[in-house]
């Protein structure tokens, strides 16, 4: 008597399951990487590591800002389809700071990857302004850098803007 016995190999599907799970993991990681690098809501502070290394210089600049005693009053206004950014800079006694070079880095807190860098022109003594295309309503971080006669003054403010 000849016994014909066919046995099925058991467990053949386990390697396929492992390969499928690893493939799914790779696809999900690829999707997350795509979203993280394309969405302007995700951002990393520019040169953050260098800023951390330069902490002592930042503290020295804060001391220089205090010694200068300058202040900035910022206003945002709708100008047709544009936004007008104006900064009034005064010294400790309230006198206008004339003839300075004023630069601004601005970004919306919800879109910090889309920072704008622009120079402000002096329109009247101590008042510097610029206009740019309409911006997203909400809170904007504005980082000013003012240079005059070898002195540097920096100031960061947060301004809430809504079209009016």
């Amino acid at each position: 008597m000849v016994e014909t016995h066919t046995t099925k190999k058991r467990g053949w599907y386990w390697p396929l399951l492992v390969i499928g799970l690893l493939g799914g993991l790779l696809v999900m990681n690829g999707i997350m990487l795509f979203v993280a690098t394309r969405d302007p809501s995700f951002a990393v502070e520019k040169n953050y590591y260098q800023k951390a290394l330069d902490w002592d210089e930042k503290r020295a600049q804060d001391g220089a800002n205090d010694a200068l005693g300058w202040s900035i009053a910022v206003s945002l206004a709708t100008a047709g389809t544009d936004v007008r950014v104006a900064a009034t800079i005064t010294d400790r006694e309230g006198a206008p700071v004339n003839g300075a070079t004023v630069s601004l880095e601005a970004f919306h807190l919800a879109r910090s990857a889309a920072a704008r860098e622009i120079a402000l022109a002096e329109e009247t003594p101590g008042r510097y302004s610029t206009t740019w295309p309409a911006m997203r309503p909400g809170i904007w971080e504005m980082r000013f850098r003012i240079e005059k006669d070898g002195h540097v003054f920096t100031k960061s403010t947060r301004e809430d803007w809504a079209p009016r």
Side-chain angles (χ1 to χ4, degrees):
M1 170 169 196
V2 176
E3 210 175 290
T4 56
H5 189 281
T6 57
T7 59
K8 291 185 178 181
K9 191 173 182 182
R10 302 179 114 187
W12 61 270
Y13 52 87
W14 286 109
L16 293 178
L17 179 65
V18 170
I19 291 169
L21 287 173
L22 288 173
L25 178 68
L26 289 174
V27 168
M28 290 304 296
N29 281 337
I31 290 170
M32 287 188 292
L33 180 65
F34 178 79
V35 169
T37 58
R38 299 293 187 272
D39 189 346
S41 297
F42 295 109
V44 175
E45 177 74 28
K46 187 170 66 174
N47 298 325
Y48 74 95
Y49 185 73
Q50 189 60 46
K51 287 180 181 180
L53 292 176
D54 295 340
W55 179 251
D56 292 333
E57 287 84 359
K58 161 84 167 90
R59 297 303 301 159
Q61 181 60 53
D62 290 345
N65 292 344
D66 291 341
L68 282 171
W70 294 355
S71 63
I72 300 176
V74 180
S75 67
L76 303 172
T78 304
T81 59
D82 295 336
V83 176
R84 185 169 178 278
V85 179
T88 303
I89 305 169
T90 56
D91 64 12
R92 190 179 315 278
E93 288 78 34
V97 175
N98 302 326
T101 302
V102 180
S103 59
L104 168 65
E105 177 187 12
F107 56 89
H108 192 280
L109 293 186
R111 295 288 188 254
S112 57
R116 299 177 182 190
E117 294 184 22
I118 195 160
L120 280 71
E122 188 170 13
E123 62 180 38
T124 61
R127 185 168 175 83
Y128 302 82
S129 67
T130 191
T131 319
W132 66 45
M135 52 195 213
R136 179 186 184 98
I139 300 175
W140 282 72
E141 178 149 338
M142 307 223 161
R143 298 176 180 173
F144 290 92
R145 179 180 175 88
I146 298 104
E147 298 179 38
K148 182 184 177 190
D149 300 333
H151 298 289
V152 176
F153 179 82
T154 58
K155 176 75 173 179
S156 292
T157 67
R158 289 195 175 172
E159 304 294 330
D160 193 359
W161 180 76
R164 290 181 179 88

